[in-house]
Amino acid sequence: MTLYITGAAVVFGTLLHAFLKDTTTPKTHVASWVVLAVATILWPIALPSMIRKRLQRTETFNLDYLN
């Protein structure tokens, strides 16, 4: 139970931080809060997806300029 609550808190905190930084969505938009709630409840599915997207976004270094 502690693992589930800890994971849910991490996911909620991460999503809340991203939601509050987003300037394109009003903070009173109910659908956005529903997505936050659903992702928090289903964090065992949401967290690996968030990690995968974060890793895919990392930039690769182009070392061709050394040649």
Side-chain angles (χ1 to χ4, degrees), residues 15-24 27:
L15 292 175
L16 182 63
H17 178 67
F19 176 65
L20 293 176
K21 283 179 46 177
D22 185 12
T23 58
T24 62
K27 305 309 178 233

Side-chain angles (χ1 to χ4, degrees), residues 14-56:
T14 304
L15 292 175
L16 182 63
H17 178 67
F19 176 65
L20 293 176
K21 283 179 46 177
D22 185 12
T23 58
T24 62
T25 304
K27 305 309 178 233
T28 57
H29 196 234
V30 176
S32 298
W33 290 103
V34 170
V35 169
L36 274 166
V38 170
T40 300
I41 293 168
L42 299 176
W43 76 265
I45 298 168
L47 185 59
S49 174
M50 290 167 46
I51 292 171
R52 182 178 50 87
K53 289 201 184 251
R54 174 70 71 149
L55 291 175
Q56 286 178 346

